[in-house]
Structures are given as structure tokens and as C-alpha cells.
Amino acid sequence: MILIVIWELAYKFGGFPSMVKVLERIIELIANNTLEIAILISLRRLVIGFLISLILGALIGLLMVKLKYIRDSLGEFIAGLQSMPNVCWVPFAVLWFGLNEKAILFVIIIGSVFAVSMAIESGIKNFTPIYVRVAKMAGARGFSLYKEVIFPESIPVILAGVRQGWAFAWRGLIAGEMIASSMNGLGQILTEGKKYNDINEIVAVMVVILLLGFLIDKLVFQKIEYAINRKYGFVKA
């Protein structure tokens, strides 16, 4: 309700497009299947890129945990790379891969992999030492120590990093698609709206992107986080 009021005030006094016009444009995009196709293409890229970033991020994070010289040499560098906006990687992607699918996937992966790796490294490294000592006294060693003690305690930090990585991947997807606008997707519709000075179409896609991000976080990540936290006793059943 508050957002609707703010929108109406922006429309009347700030030159923002009418909510009615934006909704009409969304309906038009749905009616001609443009929006449905764009969403499916964008989500496919997003899932592929994010899964790759999870695998790479986990490997980098575990290496940083196990090998001190890698953590000392790469830790601050990776933290700096994580802070870079996704759009900074777009020129590199275009130069290396051209305007194609690989360039978009690269921007998605490079934008989220560091958040995942830093979360895994931070979560595993900053465990409570007394829990580990008690587990070792009980006979836990090697993999069982990680499985039963270190990993469960690290879960909240890791999950927060994974959600942050997903947000970065989402931003990277749109940035990549806007540059490689011939590859379809939500970014292409945004680019076409800019090309034809169609503010209604631009805002319509922005609304769709916002809703998709909210729904994915609510229906996927929050449910996964709740289920895992409940399994390990971080929340009451």
C-alpha cells in the first residue's frame, strides 16, 4: 500500500510513469508471449551461472580454509573483487567472449562466486573452538568433525553468503543481457525500452525483475534456510 502511494506521488509530482500504463504494458508483454519467453531465458541463464558459481565458490572457500598461504594471498584480493559492481565485468566479458551466451554467463558467475567463497571461508573459519575440542574428545576426526560440528555451526553464515551471491548473480544477469541485447531475455526488453524511449516498458520490466527477485527469495531461499536451520536446531520446530 505504501509503495502504491509513493508511486502515485512520483507520477503526479515527479514525472514517473502512470501505474495504469505500466500495468497495461505488462499485460501487453504477457499477451504476445514476449515476457514469458524472456523470463524463461533469463532464469535458465541465471540458474546455470549461479550453480557454476556455487561449485567454484565452494572450492575456492575450502581451499582458503585448508591452505593458509592461499588465504593470506587471496583473501583481501577476493574481498576487493567482491565489492566491484557487476557491470565492471561486462567490458571484459565482451572482449574475451564476444556478444554471446558465454559473456552473459561469465558476468553472472564472476559477480557471485566471490560472495559464496568468502561466506564459506568465513563461516567455517569462525567456528566456536570449544565445540571442536569437545567433539575431538568424543572421538570426532576429519570429515566427521566437519560434518557434525563445524559445518552445522557455519550454516547461517554460508546461507547468508549464498543469498547474497544469488542477488549479485541476478544483477549480473541483467547487466550482461543489456549489453548482449541480441540474446533475448529481460535485459533485451529493457534495452529496447531505452532504445525507443519507452519509459512504460522500462518500468514494467523493472517491476517484473523486482517481483521475480522477491518471489525467488521468498519461495526458494527462505524456505531452504528455514528447513536447514530447523534440521540443525537453529529454529524451533
mmCIF file of all heavy atoms in Angstrom, residues 19-48:
data_model
loop_
_atom_site.group_PDB
_atom_site.id
_atom_site.type_symbol
_atom_site.label_atom_id
_atom_site.label_comp_id
_atom_site.label_asym_id
_atom_site.label_seq_id
_atom_site.Cartn_x
_atom_site.Cartn_y
_atom_site.Cartn_z
ATOM 1 N N MET A 19 1.017 4.149 -13.060
ATOM 2 C CA MET A 19 0.915 2.743 -12.712
ATOM 3 C C MET A 19 0.001 2.005 -13.678
ATOM 4 O O MET A 19 0.267 0.852 -14.048
ATOM 5 C CB MET A 19 0.385 2.591 -11.276
ATOM 6 C CG MET A 19 0.294 1.139 -10.812
ATOM 7 S SD MET A 19 -0.361 0.986 -9.135
ATOM 8 C CE MET A 19 0.917 1.817 -8.204
ATOM 9 N N VAL A 20 -1.064 2.661 -14.106
ATOM 10 C CA VAL A 20 -2.006 2.038 -15.050
ATOM 11 C C VAL A 20 -1.311 1.735 -16.372
ATOM 12 O O VAL A 20 -1.452 0.645 -16.935
ATOM 13 C CB VAL A 20 -3.228 2.949 -15.288
ATOM 14 C CG1 VAL A 20 -4.123 2.361 -16.370
ATOM 15 C CG2 VAL A 20 -4.002 3.151 -13.990
ATOM 16 N N LYS A 21 -0.525 2.687 -16.877
ATOM 17 C CA LYS A 21 0.196 2.494 -18.143
ATOM 18 C C LYS A 21 1.211 1.368 -18.029
ATOM 19 O O LYS A 21 1.394 0.571 -18.960
ATOM 20 C CB LYS A 21 0.892 3.790 -18.551
ATOM 21 C CG LYS A 21 -0.049 4.934 -18.901
ATOM 22 C CD LYS A 21 -0.799 4.633 -20.189
ATOM 23 C CE LYS A 21 -1.671 5.821 -20.596
ATOM 24 N NZ LYS A 21 -2.433 5.565 -21.840
ATOM 25 N N VAL A 22 1.888 1.301 -16.897
ATOM 26 C CA VAL A 22 2.887 0.242 -16.691
ATOM 27 C C VAL A 22 2.209 -1.126 -16.646
ATOM 28 O O VAL A 22 2.679 -2.090 -17.254
ATOM 29 C CB VAL A 22 3.688 0.504 -15.398
ATOM 30 C CG1 VAL A 22 4.562 -0.704 -15.054
ATOM 31 C CG2 VAL A 22 4.541 1.752 -15.549
ATOM 32 N N LEU A 23 1.093 -1.211 -15.930
ATOM 33 C CA LEU A 23 0.359 -2.483 -15.863
ATOM 34 C C LEU A 23 -0.161 -2.882 -17.240
ATOM 35 O O LEU A 23 -0.150 -4.064 -17.599
ATOM 36 C CB LEU A 23 -0.795 -2.367 -14.871
ATOM 37 C CG LEU A 23 -0.396 -2.262 -13.393
ATOM 38 C CD1 LEU A 23 -1.625 -2.058 -12.525
ATOM 39 C CD2 LEU A 23 0.360 -3.502 -12.945
ATOM 40 N N GLU A 24 -0.617 -1.912 -17.997
ATOM 41 C CA GLU A 24 -1.078 -2.205 -19.364
ATOM 42 C C GLU A 24 0.061 -2.759 -20.214
ATOM 43 O O GLU A 24 -0.135 -3.679 -21.008
ATOM 44 C CB GLU A 24 -1.652 -0.944 -20.006
ATOM 45 C CG GLU A 24 -3.001 -0.527 -19.445
ATOM 46 C CD GLU A 24 -3.501 0.770 -20.056
ATOM 47 O OE1 GLU A 24 -2.716 1.427 -20.788
ATOM 48 O OE2 GLU A 24 -4.674 1.142 -19.802
ATOM 49 N N ARG A 25 1.263 -2.193 -20.052
ATOM 50 C CA ARG A 25 2.403 -2.675 -20.832
ATOM 51 C C ARG A 25 2.800 -4.094 -20.400
ATOM 52 O O ARG A 25 3.155 -4.932 -21.238
ATOM 53 C CB ARG A 25 3.581 -1.721 -20.678
ATOM 54 C CG ARG A 25 4.814 -2.110 -21.516
ATOM 55 C CD ARG A 25 4.453 -2.333 -22.996
ATOM 56 N NE ARG A 25 3.765 -1.221 -23.562
ATOM 57 C CZ ARG A 25 4.365 -0.183 -24.109
ATOM 58 N NH1 ARG A 25 5.684 -0.130 -24.152
ATOM 59 N NH2 ARG A 25 3.650 0.799 -24.632
ATOM 60 N N ILE A 26 2.705 -4.383 -19.112
ATOM 61 C CA ILE A 26 2.984 -5.744 -18.642
ATOM 62 C C ILE A 26 1.999 -6.725 -19.257
ATOM 63 O O ILE A 26 2.375 -7.816 -19.710
ATOM 64 C CB ILE A 26 2.930 -5.814 -17.097
ATOM 65 C CG1 ILE A 26 4.092 -5.016 -16.490
ATOM 66 C CG2 ILE A 26 2.976 -7.262 -16.615
ATOM 67 C CD1 ILE A 26 4.060 -4.944 -14.979
ATOM 68 N N ILE A 27 0.726 -6.340 -19.303
ATOM 69 C CA ILE A 27 -0.301 -7.198 -19.895
ATOM 70 C C ILE A 27 -0.031 -7.417 -21.380
ATOM 71 O O ILE A 27 -0.179 -8.530 -21.903
ATOM 72 C CB ILE A 27 -1.706 -6.588 -19.664
ATOM 73 C CG1 ILE A 27 -2.045 -6.607 -18.170
ATOM 74 C CG2 ILE A 27 -2.763 -7.348 -20.463
ATOM 75 C CD1 ILE A 27 -3.301 -5.856 -17.816
ATOM 76 N N GLU A 28 0.403 -6.368 -22.065
ATOM 77 C CA GLU A 28 0.736 -6.497 -23.490
ATOM 78 C C GLU A 28 1.894 -7.473 -23.696
ATOM 79 O O GLU A 28 1.860 -8.321 -24.599
ATOM 80 C CB GLU A 28 1.112 -5.129 -24.050
ATOM 81 C CG GLU A 28 -0.056 -4.154 -24.190
ATOM 82 C CD GLU A 28 0.412 -2.788 -24.667
ATOM 83 O OE1 GLU A 28 1.599 -2.660 -25.039
ATOM 84 O OE2 GLU A 28 -0.411 -1.848 -24.658
ATOM 85 N N LEU A 29 2.914 -7.359 -22.859
ATOM 86 C CA LEU A 29 4.067 -8.244 -22.975
ATOM 87 C C LEU A 29 3.699 -9.687 -22.665
ATOM 88 O O LEU A 29 4.260 -10.626 -23.253
ATOM 89 C CB LEU A 29 5.190 -7.773 -22.037
ATOM 90 C CG LEU A 29 5.837 -6.429 -22.380
ATOM 91 C CD1 LEU A 29 6.778 -5.988 -21.261
ATOM 92 C CD2 LEU A 29 6.597 -6.525 -23.699
ATOM 93 N N ILE A 30 2.761 -9.871 -21.753
ATOM 94 C CA ILE A 30 2.288 -11.222 -21.448
ATOM 95 C C ILE A 30 1.438 -11.767 -22.595
ATOM 96 O O ILE A 30 1.566 -12.943 -22.985
ATOM 97 C CB ILE A 30 1.469 -11.235 -20.136
ATOM 98 C CG1 ILE A 30 2.375 -10.907 -18.948
ATOM 99 C CG2 ILE A 30 0.793 -12.593 -19.928
ATOM 100 C CD1 ILE A 30 1.628 -10.735 -17.642
ATOM 101 N N ALA A 31 0.594 -10.914 -23.162
ATOM 102 C CA ALA A 31 -0.325 -11.346 -24.223
ATOM 103 C C ALA A 31 0.408 -11.828 -25.462
ATOM 104 O O ALA A 31 -0.022 -12.789 -26.114
ATOM 105 C CB ALA A 31 -1.275 -10.204 -24.578
ATOM 106 N N ASN A 32 1.526 -11.194 -25.817
ATOM 107 C CA ASN A 32 2.256 -11.621 -27.020
ATOM 108 C C ASN A 32 3.413 -12.573 -26.704
ATOM 109 O O ASN A 32 4.286 -12.811 -27.550
ATOM 110 C CB ASN A 32 2.772 -10.409 -27.800
ATOM 111 C CG ASN A 32 3.697 -9.534 -26.963
ATOM 112 O OD1 ASN A 32 4.325 -9.980 -26.007
ATOM 113 N ND2 ASN A 32 3.776 -8.260 -27.331
ATOM 114 N N ASN A 33 3.416 -13.105 -25.469
ATOM 115 C CA ASN A 33 4.401 -14.102 -25.008
ATOM 116 C C ASN A 33 5.827 -13.567 -24.905
ATOM 117 O O ASN A 33 6.753 -14.337 -24.624
ATOM 118 C CB ASN A 33 4.406 -15.337 -25.924
ATOM 119 C CG ASN A 33 3.122 -16.146 -25.825
ATOM 120 O OD1 ASN A 33 2.519 -16.216 -24.766
ATOM 121 N ND2 ASN A 33 2.709 -16.738 -26.930
ATOM 122 N N THR A 34 6.013 -12.286 -25.111
ATOM 123 C CA THR A 34 7.359 -11.720 -25.013
ATOM 124 C C THR A 34 7.921 -11.853 -23.604
ATOM 125 O O THR A 34 9.076 -12.250 -23.412
ATOM 126 C CB THR A 34 7.334 -10.234 -25.415
ATOM 127 O OG1 THR A 34 6.870 -10.118 -26.755
ATOM 128 C CG2 THR A 34 8.727 -9.627 -25.314
ATOM 129 N N LEU A 35 7.098 -11.543 -22.615
ATOM 130 C CA LEU A 35 7.561 -11.562 -21.228
ATOM 131 C C LEU A 35 7.835 -12.992 -20.757
ATOM 132 O O LEU A 35 8.845 -13.254 -20.102
ATOM 133 C CB LEU A 35 6.529 -10.894 -20.326
ATOM 134 C CG LEU A 35 6.948 -10.676 -18.874
ATOM 135 C CD1 LEU A 35 8.193 -9.802 -18.817
ATOM 136 C CD2 LEU A 35 5.812 -10.042 -18.079
ATOM 137 N N GLU A 36 6.954 -13.917 -21.100
ATOM 138 C CA GLU A 36 7.130 -15.307 -20.678
ATOM 139 C C GLU A 36 8.429 -15.888 -21.229
ATOM 140 O O GLU A 36 9.214 -16.519 -20.501
ATOM 141 C CB GLU A 36 5.950 -16.154 -21.151
ATOM 142 C CG GLU A 36 6.074 -17.631 -20.799
ATOM 143 C CD GLU A 36 4.939 -18.457 -21.376
ATOM 144 O OE1 GLU A 36 4.023 -17.879 -21.979
ATOM 145 O OE2 GLU A 36 4.988 -19.689 -21.236
ATOM 146 N N ILE A 37 8.668 -15.677 -22.514
ATOM 147 C CA ILE A 37 9.890 -16.194 -23.146
ATOM 148 C C ILE A 37 11.126 -15.556 -22.523
ATOM 149 O O ILE A 37 12.126 -16.228 -22.227
ATOM 150 C CB ILE A 37 9.862 -15.942 -24.658
ATOM 151 C CG1 ILE A 37 8.737 -16.760 -25.305
ATOM 152 C CG2 ILE A 37 11.205 -16.287 -25.302
ATOM 153 C CD1 ILE A 37 8.498 -16.434 -26.767
ATOM 154 N N ALA A 38 11.072 -14.243 -22.303
ATOM 155 C CA ALA A 38 12.212 -13.532 -21.719
ATOM 156 C C ALA A 38 12.519 -14.037 -20.310
ATOM 157 O O ALA A 38 13.686 -14.231 -19.952
ATOM 158 C CB ALA A 38 11.935 -12.037 -21.700
ATOM 159 N N ILE A 39 11.476 -14.260 -19.515
ATOM 160 C CA ILE A 39 11.676 -14.749 -18.147
ATOM 161 C C ILE A 39 12.314 -16.136 -18.160
ATOM 162 O O ILE A 39 13.258 -16.415 -17.405
ATOM 163 C CB ILE A 39 10.341 -14.769 -17.381
ATOM 164 C CG1 ILE A 39 9.884 -13.340 -17.078
ATOM 165 C CG2 ILE A 39 10.475 -15.556 -16.078
ATOM 166 C CD1 ILE A 39 8.508 -13.241 -16.464
ATOM 167 N N LEU A 40 11.816 -17.017 -19.010
ATOM 168 C CA LEU A 40 12.360 -18.383 -19.077
ATOM 169 C C LEU A 40 13.818 -18.382 -19.509
ATOM 170 O O LEU A 40 14.650 -19.095 -18.941
ATOM 171 C CB LEU A 40 11.522 -19.235 -20.037
ATOM 172 C CG LEU A 40 10.096 -19.573 -19.574
ATOM 173 C CD1 LEU A 40 9.349 -20.322 -20.667
ATOM 174 C CD2 LEU A 40 10.123 -20.388 -18.288
ATOM 175 N N ILE A 41 14.141 -17.568 -20.503
ATOM 176 C CA ILE A 41 15.530 -17.489 -20.977
ATOM 177 C C ILE A 41 16.432 -16.933 -19.877
ATOM 178 O O ILE A 41 17.520 -17.466 -19.606
ATOM 179 C CB ILE A 41 15.620 -16.621 -22.241
ATOM 180 C CG1 ILE A 41 14.932 -17.321 -23.416
ATOM 181 C CG2 ILE A 41 17.072 -16.327 -22.597
ATOM 182 C CD1 ILE A 41 14.826 -16.472 -24.669
ATOM 183 N N SER A 42 15.979 -15.868 -19.222
ATOM 184 C CA SER A 42 16.792 -15.246 -18.179
ATOM 185 C C SER A 42 16.984 -16.178 -16.987
ATOM 186 O O SER A 42 18.097 -16.292 -16.447
ATOM 187 C CB SER A 42 16.147 -13.939 -17.718
ATOM 188 O OG SER A 42 16.178 -12.962 -18.745
ATOM 189 N N LEU A 43 15.926 -16.859 -16.573
ATOM 190 C CA LEU A 43 16.040 -17.764 -15.430
ATOM 191 C C LEU A 43 16.939 -18.949 -15.742
ATOM 192 O O LEU A 43 17.678 -19.422 -14.872
ATOM 193 C CB LEU A 43 14.649 -18.238 -14.992
ATOM 194 C CG LEU A 43 13.768 -17.198 -14.306
ATOM 195 C CD1 LEU A 43 12.433 -17.810 -13.912
ATOM 196 C CD2 LEU A 43 14.454 -16.610 -13.077
ATOM 197 N N ARG A 44 16.886 -19.429 -16.974
ATOM 198 C CA ARG A 44 17.781 -20.543 -17.356
ATOM 199 C C ARG A 44 19.237 -20.107 -17.236
ATOM 200 O O ARG A 44 20.066 -20.822 -16.669
ATOM 201 C CB ARG A 44 17.465 -20.997 -18.780
ATOM 202 C CG ARG A 44 18.400 -22.106 -19.280
ATOM 203 C CD ARG A 44 18.054 -22.504 -20.696
ATOM 204 N NE ARG A 44 18.177 -21.401 -21.636
ATOM 205 C CZ ARG A 44 19.355 -21.007 -22.157
ATOM 206 N NH1 ARG A 44 20.476 -21.621 -21.828
ATOM 207 N NH2 ARG A 44 19.390 -19.995 -23.004
ATOM 208 N N ARG A 45 19.551 -18.949 -17.763
ATOM 209 C CA ARG A 45 20.920 -18.439 -17.649
ATOM 210 C C ARG A 45 21.304 -18.242 -16.186
ATOM 211 O O ARG A 45 22.429 -18.557 -15.767
ATOM 212 C CB ARG A 45 21.032 -17.107 -18.387
ATOM 213 C CG ARG A 45 20.967 -17.207 -19.888
ATOM 214 C CD ARG A 45 20.927 -15.832 -20.519
ATOM 215 N NE ARG A 45 20.864 -15.899 -21.974
ATOM 216 C CZ ARG A 45 20.266 -15.014 -22.732
ATOM 217 N NH1 ARG A 45 19.660 -13.982 -22.167
ATOM 218 N NH2 ARG A 45 20.253 -15.133 -24.051
ATOM 219 N N LEU A 46 20.376 -17.704 -15.420
ATOM 220 C CA LEU A 46 20.661 -17.403 -14.020
ATOM 221 C C LEU A 46 20.959 -18.672 -13.229
ATOM 222 O O LEU A 46 21.915 -18.725 -12.446
ATOM 223 C CB LEU A 46 19.470 -16.665 -13.412
ATOM 224 C CG LEU A 46 19.630 -16.145 -11.990
ATOM 225 C CD1 LEU A 46 20.762 -15.131 -11.915
ATOM 226 C CD2 LEU A 46 18.331 -15.521 -11.502
ATOM 227 N N VAL A 47 20.154 -19.693 -13.429
ATOM 228 C CA VAL A 47 20.346 -20.948 -12.701
ATOM 229 C C VAL A 47 21.674 -21.598 -13.080
ATOM 230 O O VAL A 47 22.438 -22.045 -12.214
ATOM 231 C CB VAL A 47 19.168 -21.914 -12.962
ATOM 232 C CG1 VAL A 47 19.478 -23.298 -12.409
ATOM 233 C CG2 VAL A 47 17.889 -21.376 -12.334
ATOM 234 N N ILE A 48 21.970 -21.654 -14.376
ATOM 235 C CA ILE A 48 23.230 -22.265 -14.827
ATOM 236 C C ILE A 48 24.424 -21.504 -14.256
ATOM 237 O O ILE A 48 25.346 -22.092 -13.683
ATOM 238 C CB ILE A 48 23.301 -22.296 -16.366
ATOM 239 C CG1 ILE A 48 22.242 -23.254 -16.921
ATOM 240 C CG2 ILE A 48 24.693 -22.731 -16.836
ATOM 241 C CD1 ILE A 48 22.117 -23.206 -18.438
#
